[in-house]
Amino acid sequence: MKTSKAAAETKAQKAAKPPAAAPAKAATSHLWIFTLAVPALLFAYMISTSLRDVRPTLKGQQSSSTPLPHLETALTPRQRAMSDKGEKTVVGNTTYHPSFGLFPKGCKWRTVTTEGSDDVAYQYFDFANKVWSDERPVTCLPVLHPAPDRQTGSGTKAPHGQRWVGCETSHCMYTNLYYNNGRWYALVDGTMHIPSWRFSRNQEIVTMHVADVAAFTNSVKWELVKGDTILFDFIFFIHPTAIGHWWEMLGPLYSILKTAAFKRPATQFILLHLRRQHLLEWVRAMVAVTLGVPLDEHLPPVLMQEETDSAWQQITQILEGFKRDTWYIFERVLIVKDLYTGGGRTFHNREDAREFRGLIYEQYGLPPPEPRPTVPHIITFQRKSANRRIINEPEFIALLKTYGELRVVEYGSSSSLYEQLLTMHATGVFISVHTSNLANAPLLQPGSGVFEVIQRNWMWNGLDTSFRDQTAMMGDIHHFAWRAVHLNQTVYLKPRDLLKIGHWPTGECGTEECVEAHTSVDVIVDIPEFKKLLDSRLPFIWNNSWVSDAELPWPEWDVDKIWASKVAEAEAEAGAGAAAAVTAGAV
């Protein structure tokens, strides 16, 4: 008799194929002997996602607000606090959007939009008077320690100690890192030349060679930022609501902070390139767990750049509360390496991944994910109403309904993570097009399955496996995919893209322009092919099989290889049929 997963967690862990081991740690070195090869600038790729609800849920389908009584009947005070997102308020042509979830202490904000304008303003909550105010409070700004007054000598002593950097394969830690006018500097004294280096795809550490660091520091206006600072670059800043990419750096950071000699939670968290409106409740909850924020505690101060209307200008802006004519010295800084500077894209090990998943549920007072005796035949299809929609969605939905109870959901920027966790907790099979819809896939319960629809020409630099890499690290979630490979399965939303990019073979779609073009497409799913995938894999999920028993090769993107495989498959089937006929004749 097959042992159930609920009764054999250990066996499930062993049976699931382990991910690649975390890279070995490199030795650290002092700055004066530290050298790094400046990485080549890789093509930027854009992942487009829209959280704006522009179409209503189709009639007869279950919406994302479907109650789940077994989890919602007796909300704890914490659950009520985390799930109560309030209501938006409309006054004339101005909309005040709800503000909910975790915030830094004393720094709670809400977005304000005006009809007919793309501009976003903010209001901040005045905790003393219990009202919203247009004035940004000092609690949203950094705590700075000025240099000694030249006459009285009062102030902070200059940190003239050794500047130091220690790098491992996943991250770097700096002592006394300098910042001025939007750029980061490592001061070097001595005769050895040390080149500048990138700490992420978008940012670099500029080495400044000076004769004497102490003399330089005393010659400029400076202030000290005390404590342990995490410097975090959201590298896909062109698509700031693409929340799925947070996993790629928060996962490694979570593992790093568990072993690094670094304050947890950090003294402050610097988030580069995004605007305050992009720090969604989903993101803030993920950041809280990553940094090790205890339950019922606030986020540490989150320092962001002054905002502009252009994403490309945003990356050059100075941090809020900092002056352009002043040098700032950060006592200790930790920077996670991204994929473009030698880092990874997920947790360092399975234990960390599963622990993180459980802590997210704990944040909202929900029971932790755990193996179930039987996987519920509940299929959740998270649809899109902007780009990367399924054109033949009615036929697709009709197919899904034949396999179980179908729930069609669509979430936006005002959807609470609590609401989404309730859906993931109840889901047996999760289906979506490759977008940030799949950001919740790693939060599914053990034994659940993911079926992903991947758009055509989507494979450069592992783009197509980014979500599978996260579920694979969990080790207890099935993950399969169907890929559009033909031009007639793709609808380009911009006519220019069809004319210029549509005929490019997949293997040549490695430029920024080509990759970006394929974020603005819709997909026509081959219903018979998707049915074949469901028919072959759903029995494994419903039977609570081990992930390793059910896994399939990731779908091929090379059309020539696909046709060769189909020819071989047809020949094999024909050969088997001929052999069966011969055998029947002999009998």
Side-chain angles (χ1 to χ4, degrees), residues 1-5 7-8 11 544 546:
M1 180 181 295
K2 190 174 183 64
T3 306
S4 74
K5 190 180 297 183
K11 181 179 177 183
N544 229 345
W546 315 125

Side-chain angles (χ1 to χ4, degrees), residues 352-367:
D352 289 350
R354 293 183 177 182
E355 181 181 68
F356 185 95
R357 176 176 61 183
L359 289 172
I360 290 294
Y361 277 82
E362 186 180 22
Q363 277 281 343
Y364 291 82
L366 295 173

Side-chain angles (χ1 to χ4, degrees), residues 145 262 344 391 495:
H145 301 269
F262 203 79
I391 294 296

Side-chain angles (χ1 to χ4, degrees), residues 48-106:
S48 175
T49 183
S50 172
L51 294 176
R52 185 181 176 193
D53 185 2
V54 297
R55 288 196 298 175
T57 304
L58 298 181
K59 291 183 178 180
Q61 296 169 15
Q62 198 158 354
S63 72
S64 60
S65 60
T66 300
L68 301 174
H70 64 292
L71 289 179
E72 292 184 328
T73 51
L75 295 183
T76 66
R78 179 172 184 81
Q79 285 174 318
R80 282 193 293 271
M82 295 293 286
S83 62
D84 183 12
K85 62 183 180 182
E87 299 293 335
K88 67 180 180 181
T89 302
V90 180
V91 179
N93 63 348
T94 301
T95 300
Y96 301 88
H97 296 272
S99 175
F100 57 98
L102 294 171
F103 287 91
K105 186 175 182 179

Side-chain angles (χ1 to χ4, degrees), residues 31 74 120 145 159 193 328 331 338 378 403 456 510 557:
L31 181 58
V120 176
H145 301 269
H193 173 70
Y328 298 90
E331 279 191 328
D338 58 29
I378 296 176
Y403 293 96
R456 177 175 174 264
W557 53 263

Side-chain angles (χ1 to χ4, degrees), residues 124-133:
Y124 299 87
F125 193 70
D126 181 341
F127 287 88
N129 298 307
K130 307 297 182 183
V131 295
W132 289 97
S133 170

